[in-house]
């Protein structure tokens, strides 16, 4: 099962490139072999952050390389928050996206919406209805209800 992750580093992309250059060939290959369904990255205030949709084992392998090489990061599994409507990528990142990255961001949002749809279930939708009401469900949640329950 794929999950949604945010990985925030304490360094800029430039500094992380220097760290990457110091990795062994084996560690570089492990990083290159990370199989992610989708990702989006950006830099803000000199700090590199990326979001990814990937299997937990892939993320664990990637983070293992980072940890072994003393690269500091913060990992947040956003999966439950995304499904419950407690995390909105547009609110978190949308205004920070550089014009050149807008298409890449748009593709990630599309992939994230597909992930949400494919991971929704009726219990999650019912919880959301009790929290925000039927009229305040997201477009994806309404589409899920319509396609699966003719609501």
């Amino acid at each position: 099962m794929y999950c949604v992750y945010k990985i925030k580093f304490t360094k800029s992309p430039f500094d992380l490139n220097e760290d990457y250059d110091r990795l062994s060939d084996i560690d570089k290959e492990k990083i290159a072999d990370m199989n992610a369904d989708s990702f989006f990255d950006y830099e803000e205030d000199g700090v590199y952050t990326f979001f990814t949709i990937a299997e937990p084992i892939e993320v664990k392998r990637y983070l293992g390389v980072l940890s072994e090489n003393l690269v500091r990061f913060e990992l947040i599994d956003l999966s439950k928050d995304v499904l419950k409507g407690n995390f909105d990528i547009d609110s978190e990142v949308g205004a920070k996206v550089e014009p050149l990255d807008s298409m890449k961001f748009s593709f990630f949002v599309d992939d994230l919406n597909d992930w949400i749809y494919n991971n929704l279930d009726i219990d999650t939708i019912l919880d959301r209805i009790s929290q925000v009401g039927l009229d305040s469900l997201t477009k994806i949640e309404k589409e899920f209800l319509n396609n699966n329950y003719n609501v």
Side-chain angles (χ1 to χ4, degrees), residues 23 26-28 30-31 59-71 73:
L23 296 178
I26 293 171
D27 284 343
K28 287 178 182 177
K30 287 179 187 176
I31 287 176
V59 173
K60 183 178 179 179
R61 187 177 310 131
Y62 174 74
L63 297 178
V65 171
L66 298 177
S67 295
E68 290 168 8
N69 289 281
L70 305 175
V71 177
F73 60 88

Side-chain angles (χ1 to χ4, degrees), residues 77-132:
D77 183 344
L78 295 171
S79 304
K80 289 180 183 175
D81 286 331
V82 168
L83 280 176
K84 293 180 178 182
N86 297 330
F87 178 84
D88 177 35
I89 190 79
D90 280 320
S91 298
E92 170 99 6
V93 181
K96 302 170 189 173
V97 176
E98 298 290 329
L100 292 174
D101 293 330
S102 62
M103 187 176 288
K104 185 169 66 167
F105 180 69
S106 178
F107 287 142
F108 181 75
V109 170
D110 289 345
D111 291 342
L112 185 60
N113 287 336
D114 289 345
W115 180 89
I116 292 168
Y117 186 89
N118 291 327
N119 285 278
L120 279 175
D121 59 41
I122 192 63
D123 290 333
T124 303
I125 297 288
L126 292 174
D127 288 344
R128 288 275 297 146
I129 291 171
S130 69
Q131 288 175 340
V132 300

